[in-house]
Amino acid sequence: MSSEDNHIYPVFDQILKREDKEKLLKQRSKVIWCTGLSGAGKTTLAKNLEKALHVQGYLTQVLDGDNIRSGINNNLKFTKDDRKENIRRIAEVSKLLINSGVITINSFISPTEEIRQVAIDIIGEENFVEIFVHAPIEVCEKRDVKGLYAKARAGEIKNFTGVDSPFEQPKNPNIVIDTDKYSVQECLNQAMDCVLPFLKY
Ligand code: ADP
């Protein structure tokens, strides 16, 4: 079917480019993708990164389970296919945001190479900054902020990453942040040192 058949008429020559938005905002837009186990510290880092970048004049948007699973992806479950669809949609939303010049900070377990590759293929490797937020599973399980590990161990939650579903460590992240070794502030400083060179206009 041609684009005329479905009444879609590309008008790319009239649309402002990403570079125009980046110039307006005086920033380079990237997707900062935080991956790691539940309880590793992704949300904490993503929120602190957003605050620290805001103070320095950067426009950002955090995407996490709270605003994605409850909204655009509220029809998805945790089956293998739905997890992949979850990430595919997140990646597409991230792409729209970076094309608007907005730095996107994502906080998702994104447990496998395959799933992260889905995101990278959509977003583009050159736009993707990967942060591996790491703490040993024993530490994450001890933190168990939401009581999810206890439920997974009791068999009340199935396919829980780290318990009965695998987490594959990323092979080439831009940075590994060990949240069991460094304070929240130190982790933030490490992340800022890593991401700022990508974002400076
Ligand atoms: P995730 O989003 O990966 O599930 P959270 O950000 O909710 O993890 O963090 C889980 C727990 O770990 C929280 O209680 C948080 O305060 C704590 N935490 C996060 N980062 C650190 C850190 N660098 N040092 C100590 N505790 C941390």
Side-chain angles (χ1 to χ4, degrees):
M1 190 163 61
S2 79
S3 60
E4 284 181 23
D5 294 333
N6 55 22
H7 307 292
I8 294 170
Y9 303 98
V11 284
F12 292 124
D13 56 336
Q14 297 166 22
I15 296 176
L16 284 168
K17 294 195 181 68
R18 172 177 170 186
E19 294 85 76
D20 300 312
K21 318 275 175 97
E22 288 181 323
K23 191 174 173 194
L24 179 77
L25 296 167
K26 298 187 183 61
Q27 64 186 35
R28 299 275 173 221
S29 53
K30 299 282 171 202
V31 177
I32 300 166
W33 192 288
C34 302
T35 177
L37 290 167
S38 177
K42 301 179 296 298
T43 311
T44 307
L45 181 67
K47 291 187 173 162
N48 283 324
L49 256 183
E50 171 158 72
K51 256 194 261 170
L53 287 170
H54 180 84
V55 169
Q56 295 201 24
Y58 292 96
L59 180 63
T60 60
Q61 173 67 54
V62 171
L63 300 181
D64 61 16
D66 288 345
N67 58 18
I68 291 289
R69 280 268 178 198
S70 63
I72 190 171
N73 286 358
N74 67 4
N75 63 328
L76 299 180
K77 307 248 177 335
F78 289 87
T79 62
K80 194 161 181 264
D81 283 352
D82 276 8
R83 279 176 192 254
K84 215 163 156 184
E85 178 60 10
N86 182 45
I87 294 296
R88 189 190 69 78
R89 288 187 205 168
I90 290 161
E92 290 289 355
V93 170
S94 306
K95 193 162 104 180
L96 288 174
L97 282 165
I98 57 167
N99 283 338
S100 307
V102 178
I103 296 154
T104 308
I105 306 170
N106 291 359
S107 163
F108 297 98
I109 298 174
S110 35
T112 63
E113 281 290 312
E114 186 191 356
I115 247 171
R116 291 187 293 266
Q117 198 57 49
V118 168
I120 292 168
D121 287 346
I122 292 168
I123 291 163
E125 201 155 8
E126 68 284 8
N127 298 315
F128 196 86
V129 182
E130 189 173 37
I131 299 184
F132 178 23
V133 184
H134 175 260
I137 179 116
E138 302 77 39
V139 174
C140 297
E141 191 157 359
K142 212 164 151 199
R143 288 176 178 163
D144 208 10
V145 190
K146 300 173 194 152
L148 298 175
Y149 283 95
K151 282 190 180 160
R153 293 284 177 206
E156 288 167 37
I157 305 176
K158 294 262 175 282
N159 302 321
F160 193 75
T161 305
V163 176
D164 54 355
S165 185
F167 182 84
E168 297 167 8
Q169 304 214 345
K171 292 201 177 84
N172 277 311
N174 293 85
I175 186 170
V176 182
I177 297 198
D178 291 305
T179 66
D180 60 318
K181 298 200 180 96
Y182 301 99
S183 71
V184 169
Q185 184 60 49
E186 285 167 329
C187 291
L188 172 63
N189 295 346
Q190 291 171 17
M192 285 292 276
D193 286 347
C194 167
V195 301
L196 273 176
F198 290 101
L199 310 179
K200 285 212 167 106
Y201 189 73

